[in-house]
Each structure stands twice: as structure tokens, then as C-alpha cells.
Amino acid sequence: MIMPLPPRRPAEFAPDPTAKAASTPSQAQPPEKPPGPSACVGTFKERGGIALPPVPASSSGDCGIDDPVTFERIDRPDGSKVELDSAITVRCSFALEVLAWIRDDLSEIAAGENAKLATLAGVGGHACRPRNGVAGAPISEHASGNALDVSALKMQDGRIIPLAGRDAATLSMRGAISKSACARFTTVLGPGSDSAHKDHLHLDMRKRSRDFRICQWTVE
């Protein structure tokens, strides 16, 4: 028995030979790359700062750092360098102030004493703690990477300039360092300010109402 053929498919349902094949779904876009260094970090490098690979964020909130930079060396325009005896992490805007203080102020002061600055000793940067490490005290500027501690300067000829003490031979240099620090930073605490700073210098850029500044360092 011969079966009849199926009826012809209506023209409106016939495939269009001129139609393009359906486009395949676009491939998934690769994830965005993390943002590169900030403009501030770029300026820091242009001015001679040698930024190290960023350290993983270990704290947040009151102890977080905005735009952090880690460094332990500054290159001067003449090709020489100034070392920090340990790497510090601070906010970039503060790193620019430290860089300028070392490159412009301290280097010039040392040159006036027929010396060349080589190293900052006893340095400290970011530290998540209250002021002076006293429990219950307000949070320190160190916690937000806005402060530097330093206890001495070392010259290329081997001379060491402690920032504390009563060495008559270094009195004029320490006086010049005090003047430059108080002109550049909003907080300067050193010997004579309190017991917590009797053997080192604390510098920060804390903002206060009416641009009030603190300069407490007795140079003897």
C-alpha cells in the first residue's frame, strides 16, 4: 500500500535561504585589571622615591591607610641615595612630605656641615595603636600612616647625629633640623615634649582646626 506524501509546507514557514545564521553569544569579557598606582604614587616616584611592592592590607577602619606607599630609599637628583634603616608604609601624601624633607631640607642642612646624609635611623611608620601606646588614648596618627618616627641621622663619612641628647658638636645641626621639621610638619614631638618622645622625633601631618600646629622639641 502506497502512503500519500505529506502536504507541502506553507511558504510563510519555509526557511529563508538568505537569512544569516544566528550569531553566537559573545565571549565573556575578561575581568578588569586592578587599578594601577595613583597619581600621587607616580609623583612620589618622579621625585626620587623608590616604592616597594605594596604590602597586603592588614588593618582597616581607624588603622587603614588611604593610598599607601612602602619605601626605604630615596634617590637624589645628583644620583646619590638616602636610606631608611627599615622600610616604612605610610599614606602617599605623607610620603611626599617625608621625601621633600629628606631630599631638600636634611640634605641641605648636612651640606652646610660639610657632610652628606646617608641614612635615617630608628624609623617607624604605620602602627595600629593609640597615641604613645597608652590604652584608651585617642588613635595615633601612625595608625593611618600619617606619621614618622626617627631617632638619628647617619652621614656618609660615618658620623651619627642623634636627635636627642646634649652633644655640643651637633647642636647647630639639630637646631636647623628642628626649625625645618616645625616648618614642614603640623606636629613635631621630640625630647622635652613628654617621656614618650625623650629619645626620638615624631613627625606627622595631623589636621587641626584653624591650622593649629604643635612644635615641641627642646634642642640642647
Side-chain angles (χ1 to χ4, degrees), residues 16-24:
D16 184 357
T18 64
K20 294 182 179 179
S23 58
T24 58

Side-chain angles (χ1 to χ4, degrees), residues 133-158:
V134 178
I139 197 73
S140 169
E141 291 297 308
H142 283 283
S144 58
N146 196 35
L148 169 74
D149 286 342
V150 56
S151 62
L153 307 182
K154 296 181 180 180
M155 304 296 137
Q156 288 187 359
D157 60 10

Side-chain angles (χ1 to χ4, degrees), residues 4-130:
L5 295 175
R8 183 181 294 272
R9 188 176 186 180
E12 61 267 26
F13 295 109
D16 184 357
T18 64
K20 294 182 179 179
S23 58
T24 58
S26 59
Q27 296 181 348
Q29 295 296 321
E32 293 184 3
K33 294 182 179 180
S38 68
C40 177
V41 174
T43 300
F44 178 77
K45 293 178 179 179
E46 290 172 1
R47 296 180 182 177
I50 307 301
L52 299 174
V55 296
S58 58
S59 54
S60 59
D62 289 338
C63 289
I65 303 179
D66 293 329
D67 197 12
V69 61
T70 301
F71 68 103
E72 61 181 350
R73 192 183 92 196
I74 291 172
D75 287 348
R76 288 181 286 207
D78 64 1
S80 61
K81 61 184 178 181
V82 177
E83 304 275 359
L84 280 61
D85 65 354
S86 64
I88 62 170
T89 300
V90 295
R91 66 173 59 171
C92 184
S93 59
F94 183 72
L96 289 178
E97 294 291 346
V98 173
L99 182 152
W101 187 56
I102 293 172
R103 186 193 61 186
D104 301 335
D105 301 356
L106 297 184
S107 294
E108 183 177 341
I109 292 169
E113 299 287 336
N114 298 314
K116 198 160 189 176
L117 180 63
T119 307
L120 270 65
V123 298
H126 180 242
C128 185
R129 59 174 173 77

Side-chain angles (χ1 to χ4, degrees), residues 101 105-106 109 113 153 161-165 167-183 188 201 215 217-220:
W101 187 56
D105 301 356
L106 297 184
I109 292 169
E113 299 287 336
L153 307 182
I161 314 299
L163 299 180
D167 180 17
T170 63
L171 180 60
S172 63
M173 183 180 286
R174 287 183 289 115
I177 294 169
S178 173
K179 184 177 180 180
S180 73
C182 291
V188 176
L201 189 63
C215 178
W217 179 11
T218 304
V219 178
E220 300 178 295

